[in-house]
Amino acid sequence: DSLKEADLNILTEAVNLLWNLVEASPTAFNLFTSSTLFDFTLSLLAVESNVYLVVGVLSLLSAACDQNSAASKKVLAYQSRIEALLSHPTSLKLRINSALLLATILEDSIFESPVFPSLVQTLDSTLRTDVRKQICDWSSSAPVTEDMEMEVEGGQDDQNLKECEDQLSSQQTALEILTNLCSL
């Protein structure tokens, strides 16, 4: 809790980098899941002040727990915290990434889990959003230069673009979860 914003941003980037390494390299995967860094990463689920850090942690843990029962067992101790993130009031990325982690750690027992209806509701609400309309609304509000390039100069336009990107990414993750559930 005593971390400054700059430190949290660096930690977020480090977690995202580690996530990419764990997904890309079997060696990084093995080193991460067998080290104390895994336990440290679990402790970061409690950092409520930085949504992007927790999103990165959820993604990293999902990659580490994929077909890894030892890692999944460790993460199961934090199941109630992850379930609480499934109903986060403002962050779609937190909700969908917690759904991915829950589906990953619970595997085929997810269907009997009391959290399953909430998980399906999260997937449903994520996929129901009309991203095409959202992007059209955003692009209509951004001015176009003579060279037919869109000008995005900070402020509300940047925020709207970020929301479009987050929505598209969340829908992709929701489809990945559904694919995984269908293959169980």
Side-chain angles (χ1 to χ4, degrees):
D1 280 341
S2 63
L3 291 174
K4 296 177 183 164
E5 186 175 336
D7 294 334
L8 281 172
N9 291 339
I10 291 169
L11 183 56
T12 300
E13 290 301 318
V15 165
N16 289 331
L17 177 61
L18 186 55
W19 169 37
N20 289 329
L21 287 170
V22 166
E23 281 195 331
S25 164
T27 302
F29 175 88
N30 291 332
L31 287 172
F32 174 70
T33 57
S34 63
S35 72
T36 56
L37 191 55
F38 186 84
D39 297 319
F40 172 72
T41 302
L42 285 168
S43 73
L44 295 176
L45 286 171
V47 178
E48 295 180 12
S49 61
N50 191 310
V51 169
Y52 294 107
L53 174 61
V54 178
V55 167
V57 166
L58 291 168
S59 298
L60 173 58
L61 291 173
S62 293
C65 292
D66 190 26
Q67 300 179 2
N68 184 338
S69 60
S72 292
K73 285 179 186 172
K74 281 185 177 181
V75 176
L76 277 171
Y78 294 81
Q79 183 175 346
S80 62
R81 173 68 183 136
I82 299 164
E83 287 176 7
L85 295 173
L86 190 60
S87 59
H88 192 274
T90 60
S91 176
L92 174 61
K93 296 283 286 180
L94 271 179
R95 290 191 303 271
I96 201 69
N97 284 31
S98 63
L100 176 61
L101 182 54
L102 287 167
T104 302
I105 63 174
L106 294 174
E107 294 179 330
D108 57 353
S109 67
I110 188 73
F111 298 112
E112 290 84 35
S113 173
V115 76
F116 186 66
S118 297
L119 185 139
V120 171
Q121 193 279 328
T122 299
L123 296 176
D124 178 58
S125 65
T126 301
L127 293 171
R128 281 189 186 272
T129 302
D130 185 355
V131 180
R132 184 194 56 77
K133 181 183 180 323
Q134 187 179 11
I135 291 171
C136 184
D137 291 347
W138 168 76
S139 65
S140 295
S141 69
V144 177
T145 66
E146 290 178 17
D147 298 332
M148 297 304 289
E149 293 180 8
M150 295 181 69
E151 291 180 12
V152 180
E153 296 180 8
Q156 188 61 37
D157 283 339
D158 277 349
Q159 181 61 33
N160 290 343
L161 175 60
K162 180 74 175 130
E163 288 173 14
C164 291
E165 290 171 346
D166 286 351
Q167 185 67 44
L168 281 170
S169 173
S170 295
Q171 286 189 342
Q172 181 179 357
T173 302
L175 292 171
E176 178 185 335
I177 294 167
L178 285 173
T179 302
N180 292 343
L181 291 175
C182 289
S183 69
L184 292 177

